[in-house]
Amino acid sequence: MRRYGLQGVGLGMLGLCLILALGPGEEPEVREAAGSALVEVESGPPPLVALTFDDGPREVTTRRLLEGLELREVNATFFLVGSRIQGCEALIQDMAAAGNQVGVHTYDHVMVTDLSRRDFDLQVGKTRALLIDLLGEGEYWLRPPYGIVDQSVERWADGPLILWSVDPEDWKDSDTDRIVAAVLEHVKDGDIILMHDIYQSSVDAALRIVDALLERGYLFATVEQLMDLRGVEPEQGILYTAFPPVER
Ligand SMILES: [Zn+2]
């Protein structure tokens, strides 16, 4: 079961201001909020992003991330490595039960363009089968390791291929400040942010990024929700990197 409700508006914010989403072209206005404080109402719907995490799960770091996301009422998308599933079953069930989207990042974290059809099915199909056993029927979209695909992969993917538009290269060092700044500098409405939940520093950075973006008025969605909210129909074998708002 996946929840489709938007999350991410911290309760604390509600006491301070009243945010009303207005349609395109509508003027911002000032309204009287409860308690008679005058507040400015922002125009347009809030910006949306999808946080995505690859290469996990890893019990300690992923668990801490899930707890931090839950505390902030934010959902993310996790592309799991099949060989790491065993021993983390409860963690993955909690991940999905909290409303996060789960996808596939191959069984052994391999470059999918190097594979025969048979090996592709072992890497992707076997991981999907494990997730179906654990979480029930679902599509479990593929994020190809290194973001590299070819025409065979596009044919065999059996679903959309999810890439990203913001990459802070969080695996390169454990400099949380640098990772946070790299995301906050580049992020915009509709982006898919790539991070890795197997590093403590990435988890720290991700939670700081969530706090900073909530403060900027952003909301968080899973990739599937973001796609749905932007009116994009997922297509087999198509690469997706971001879902910017549609120009009207
Ligand atoms: Zn990876």
Side-chain angles (χ1 to χ4, degrees):
M1 292 273 280
R2 294 200 180 94
R3 294 195 309 233
Y4 277 84
L6 270 183
Q7 301 190 341
V9 180
L11 288 177
M13 287 171 68
L14 293 177
L16 294 172
C17 62
L18 174 68
I19 298 175
L20 296 176
L22 301 174
E26 289 181 55
E27 289 298 314
E29 50 184 302
V30 174
R31 292 194 189 167
E32 200 162 338
S36 80
L38 286 176
V39 291
E40 188 163 340
V41 179
E42 291 176 20
S43 86
L48 281 166
V49 281
L51 268 178
T52 65
F53 296 93
D54 289 6
D55 296 9
R58 183 179 170 214
E59 186 63 45
V60 177
T61 48
T62 307
R63 175 70 68 188
R64 202 161 65 78
L65 176 61
L66 289 180
E67 287 170 0
L69 292 175
E70 190 148 15
L71 200 68
R72 292 160 175 81
E73 301 189 334
V74 161
N75 281 142
T77 303
F78 292 83
F79 294 97
L80 305 184
V81 171
S83 62
R84 303 184 72 109
I85 290 174
Q86 200 181 15
C88 288
E89 289 87 348
L91 177 69
I92 298 166
Q93 282 168 331
D94 291 347
M95 179 186 281
N100 298 294
Q101 186 181 348
V102 178
V104 168
H105 198 48
T106 74
Y107 191 83
D108 295 306
H109 201 277
V110 292
M111 183 105 72
V112 278
T113 49
D114 292 342
L115 303 177
S116 65
R117 174 76 216 236
R118 186 175 169 276
D119 286 340
F120 181 88
D121 288 341
L122 281 173
Q123 286 292 332
V124 176
K126 185 172 155 191
T127 307
R128 276 194 182 128
L130 288 172
L131 291 175
I132 288 169
D133 274 355
L134 197 55
L135 304 175
E137 282 300 327
E139 294 190 358
Y140 306 111
W141 295 346
L142 174 64
R143 168 168 282 165
Y146 317 102
I148 298 171
V149 301
D150 59 15
Q151 285 184 337
S152 301
V153 172
E154 288 169 11
R155 265 202 321 277
W156 301 338
D158 202 18
L161 293 154
I162 308 301
L163 302 187
W164 55 84
S165 51
V166 176
D167 177 9
E169 300 191 320
D170 59 320
W171 45 267
K172 230 165 55 176
D173 55 38
S174 46
D175 186 343
T176 306
D177 289 342
R178 186 198 63 74
I179 299 165
V180 172
V183 172
L184 295 183
E185 222 169 274
H186 298 290
V187 72
K188 58 191 182 312
D189 191 7
D191 272 335
I192 299 177
I193 301 167
L194 167 66
M195 295 187 77
H196 299 81
D197 53 317
I198 54 172
Y199 307 112
Q200 293 280 9
S201 48
S202 296
V203 172
D204 290 338
L207 296 176
R208 279 176 53 189
I209 288 162
V210 170
D211 289 338
L213 290 181
L214 286 174
E215 194 124 305
R216 288 186 192 177
Y218 274 77
L219 296 180
F220 291 85
T222 65
V223 171
E224 194 175 20
Q225 289 167 338
L226 179 56
M227 207 169 199
D228 187 44
L229 287 161
R230 293 283 144 95
V232 180
E233 198 62 46
E235 283 184 56
Q236 138 69 25
I238 299 295
L239 295 174
Y240 296 96
T241 55
F243 300 100
V246 182
E247 299 286 338
R248 295 181 210 220

